[in-house]
Amino acid sequence: QVQLVESGGGLVQAGGSLRLSCAASGNIFSINDMGWYRQAPGKQRELVAAINRDEGSTNYADSVKGRFTISRDNAKNTVLLQMNSLKPEDTAVYYCNVHLRVSGIRFWGRGTQVTVSS
């Protein structure tokens, strides 16, 4: 029902910044929450940040609080993740995710690579 396309990943030095974007299409009005997850090789996928589409409430992983900011532009059906003060530990594939109301179904983007060099 929902298709997600991520962009903005890349290679940066420690202390640098990146902004990830995720554009949603399809049944966008069924979206309850939008968020970003990440997965490094050999690691489990983990929630980075999430935001409620209507209310705008947010939650963050403790490891990124104070450094990352999630926001959404409902007019453009887009969720953004501003990443500042990046650390090598942030290196991972970042996946956009949406959670639909009522059905509870989740949809995932293909992922975008973020690499932070020391």
Side-chain angles (χ1 to χ4, degrees), residues 95-106:
Y95 297 92
C96 183
N97 169 260
V98 301
H99 181 213
L100 303 190
R101 58 173 61 93
V102 182
S103 71
I105 296 173
R106 291 186 178 274

Side-chain angles (χ1 to χ4, degrees), residues 1 12 53 59 62 103 112:
Q1 287 186 277
V12 298
R53 185 180 185 275
N59 65 301
D62 288 340
S103 71
T112 184

Side-chain angles (χ1 to χ4, degrees), residues 49-98:
I51 186 168
N52 183 272
R53 185 180 185 275
D54 297 324
E55 299 174 356
S57 56
T58 60
N59 65 301
Y60 296 89
D62 288 340
S63 60
V64 306
K65 283 184 177 179
R67 299 189 297 120
F68 292 8
T69 302
I70 190 169
S71 62
R72 89 283 200 221
D73 185 341
N74 288 347
K76 296 182 178 180
N77 308 127
T78 299
V79 59
L80 305 173
L81 184 68
Q82 179 66 46
M83 304 185 294
N84 298 326
S85 302
L86 283 163
K87 304 175 180 179
E89 306 92 88
D90 296 317
T91 296
V93 177
Y94 284 69
Y95 297 92
C96 183
N97 169 260
V98 301

